[in-house]
Amino acid sequence: PDARILIDQARVYAQSNRLLYDEPIDVEIVTKRICDIKQLYTQHAGVRPFGVSLIIGGVDRRGPRVYITFPGGAYRAYKAVAIGKGRDVAESILMKEYREDMTLEEAIMLAIKCLLRSAEARGESTRIRIAVIPTDTKKFRLLSDEEIQEYMKKVRS
């Protein structure tokens, strides 16, 4: 529920920026605004702070950007990052295999590899959903299950 509230607020900020300035909002600005809300809820008695970390990513005029927000309202930029269960396994893979010159296809396969290996380490099965934002189009696209299965076959072989 905490994440849903913050994501809805991020969507409102993005839509408001588009209506006011007729341009998309920078990824860092929306991240900062979400963190301002999170930090505000740590300042007042009688309200419960947001207990969620978020990974916020997108493509803006500066290129691809990824930020992680912390429950207290701080945020930090990353090239590649993981949070939650299996974070250690995923981050060890990212540290070894991430390159700045990766193609979108290589990045998708690296993400799938991280998800599969971290789930295997916990003994869990996985259901993977992946969205991409190509830097040339800057358009969000959710990959189909068939596309994801093809990438999973490539990663496993």
Side-chain angles (χ1 to χ4, degrees):
D2 287 351
R4 261 188 235 117
I5 290 168
L6 293 170
I7 290 167
D8 286 345
Q9 191 62 53
R11 288 178 177 145
V12 169
Y13 286 141
Q15 290 170 353
S16 297
N17 196 82
R18 174 69 78 176
L19 290 171
L20 280 171
Y21 304 111
D22 196 28
E23 64 181 32
I25 195 166
D26 284 344
V27 178
E28 185 172 8
I29 291 173
V30 76
T31 302
K32 183 183 180 324
R33 287 187 178 172
I34 293 304
C35 285
D36 288 345
I37 293 170
K38 291 170 117 181
Q39 201 279 330
L40 182 67
Y41 274 73
T42 67
Q43 295 292 311
H44 299 286
V47 294
R48 183 181 61 78
F50 290 96
V52 64
S53 291
L54 299 173
I55 296 175
I56 299 175
V59 178
D60 59 23
R61 59 190 162 156
R62 295 183 202 152
R65 312 282 297 252
V66 175
Y67 294 91
I68 186 171
T69 70
F70 301 100
Y75 68 95
R76 180 173 286 166
Y78 287 89
K79 301 278 184 188
V81 68
I83 58 175
K85 281 183 175 181
R87 173 182 171 225
D88 297 333
V89 173
E91 282 192 343
S92 70
I93 294 169
L94 291 172
M95 289 185 69
K96 290 177 193 167
E97 299 185 27
Y98 175 79
R99 299 181 332 272
E100 286 196 43
D101 64 341
M102 296 178 88
T103 65
L104 181 58
E105 184 169 308
E106 291 171 330
I108 291 168
M109 291 192 335
L110 180 59
I112 289 174
K113 182 177 184 178
C114 290
L115 292 168
L116 289 174
R117 297 268 167 84
S118 63
E120 288 170 3
R122 294 187 318 270
E124 298 175 0
S125 63
T126 57
R127 168 125 171 40
I128 298 175
R129 292 180 60 196
I130 294 181
V132 296
I133 305 172
T135 54
D136 55 344
T137 64
K138 298 182 183 176
K139 301 289 184 197
F140 176 92
R141 184 173 78 88
L142 193 61
L143 298 182
S144 69
D145 289 337
E146 293 80 25
E147 289 174 295
I148 293 171
Q149 290 301 320
E150 286 300 315
Y151 283 117
M152 288 174 72
K153 286 178 189 174
K154 289 178 185 177
V155 167
R156 287 184 170 140
S157 59

